[in-house]
Amino acid sequence: MSPWKSLFFSCFLMFTACAAQAQREFEITPFAGTRFGGYIDLSQQGNPNVDALKINSSVNYGIMGDVTFWQNFQGEFMWNRQPTSLSSHNPNDNTYAFLSNMNLDMYQFDVLYQFLSPESKLRPFVVGGLGFSHFGVQSVAGQSVLPFSTRFAYNIGGGIKYFLSNHWGLRAELRWSPSNTTQGLATYCDPYFGCAPATVTNKAEQGQANVGVIYRFGR
């Protein structure tokens, strides 16, 4: 594991330990669902036969850990894996061809806000956070498919929790989850200095829909 990944995990563990001293209420939620959408722009690489890679929609699964740190606010860590594949896009005839299998892992550190009373069985919520995505792509003919493996990512979304008892509940949510990928060029225009080329970061913009079972303890 790289040093900055270790730092992410260390910060989360320290945050969790501090929060545990306050209210000691935790939720563990294994989940499954689907992740869809996402293109990796390769137009700047100059290959006339491939201008983008499509991340094919597929199932995903993972686990979320939440800890209440102040009233209706929770800190959350989410690991989410999408076993999927990449297809190359040919701009000449607008066709796609299978390229390689890929495990796309997202690691996100979120803040979650819950509505209604803590005693209510139904708890709508909004969530958002930052983290990184790891593109675990199988090589093709011994060559790397992507010029990167790990990129900054973020997410925003919302959903509902429904508690069947003090310790068990159900969770359903939708998220928008972009991941940075390659860099490209765009034209930036300033009202005083005019237009000039600028480097921009391309994003693989994905959505996900998940359902899970909550186990709540420390309450």
Side-chain angles (χ1 to χ4, degrees):
M1 182 178 293
S2 66
W4 66 278
K5 285 185 182 179
S6 300
L7 178 61
F8 266 119
F9 283 111
S10 298
C11 290
F12 175 75
L13 291 174
M14 288 189 294
F15 168 76
T16 300
C18 292
Q21 297 300 318
Q23 291 184 284
R24 295 184 179 277
E25 183 173 318
F26 298 85
E27 294 172 9
I28 302 296
T29 309
F31 67 89
T34 181
R35 204 188 302 176
F36 48 90
Y39 286 84
I40 301 172
D41 191 322
L42 299 180
S43 59
Q44 300 297 320
Q45 294 190 355
N47 186 340
N49 298 316
V50 178
D51 66 345
L53 300 180
K54 178 184 178 182
I55 302 173
N56 294 309
S57 301
S58 67
V59 299
N60 76 140
Y61 58 88
I63 191 166
M64 293 175 283
D66 296 79
V67 56
T68 301
F69 62 87
W70 184 64
Q71 295 183 352
N72 292 327
F73 285 92
Q74 291 183 319
E76 177 177 276
F77 171 73
M78 178 183 73
W79 167 71
N80 186 352
R81 165 165 286 189
Q82 180 190 14
T84 181
S85 61
L86 294 175
S87 295
S88 59
H89 177 251
N90 188 330
N92 301 306
D93 54 11
N94 196 32
T95 58
Y96 291 89
F98 171 81
L99 183 63
S100 179
N101 291 317
M102 176 175 70
N103 283 327
L104 179 52
D105 292 296
M106 296 190 74
Y107 304 85
Q108 298 286 293
F109 300 86
D110 304 324
V111 174
L112 183 147
Y113 179 79
Q114 301 179 104
F115 300 94
L116 303 182
S117 164
E119 304 306 319
S120 174
K121 289 188 174 183
L122 183 67
R123 304 295 307 275
F125 65 87
V126 292
V127 63
L130 309 173
F132 56 92
S133 293
H134 178 73
F135 296 77
V137 188
Q138 294 182 2
S139 61
V140 176
Q143 300 295 318
S144 297
V145 173
L146 297 176
F148 58 86
S149 60
T150 303
R151 283 292 187 265
F152 170 78
Y154 58 95
N155 77 94
I156 186 169
I160 56 171
K161 300 178 184 179
Y162 183 80
F163 290 95
L164 305 171
S165 69
N166 279 339
H167 298 293
W168 294 98
L170 302 173
R171 173 171 172 163
E173 63 174 33
L174 294 171
R175 298 197 193 211
W176 175 55
S177 307
S179 300
N180 288 359
T181 55
T182 57
Q183 290 189 327
L185 293 177
T187 301
Y188 174 75
C189 293
D190 184 274
Y192 299 101
F193 300 102
C195 298
T199 301
V200 296
T201 299
N202 299 313
K203 294 178 175 61
E205 299 193 22
Q206 293 186 287
Q208 53 180 290
N210 303 315
V211 292
V213 178
I214 305 169
Y215 173 58
R216 182 169 62 180
F217 58 100
R219 181 168 180 159

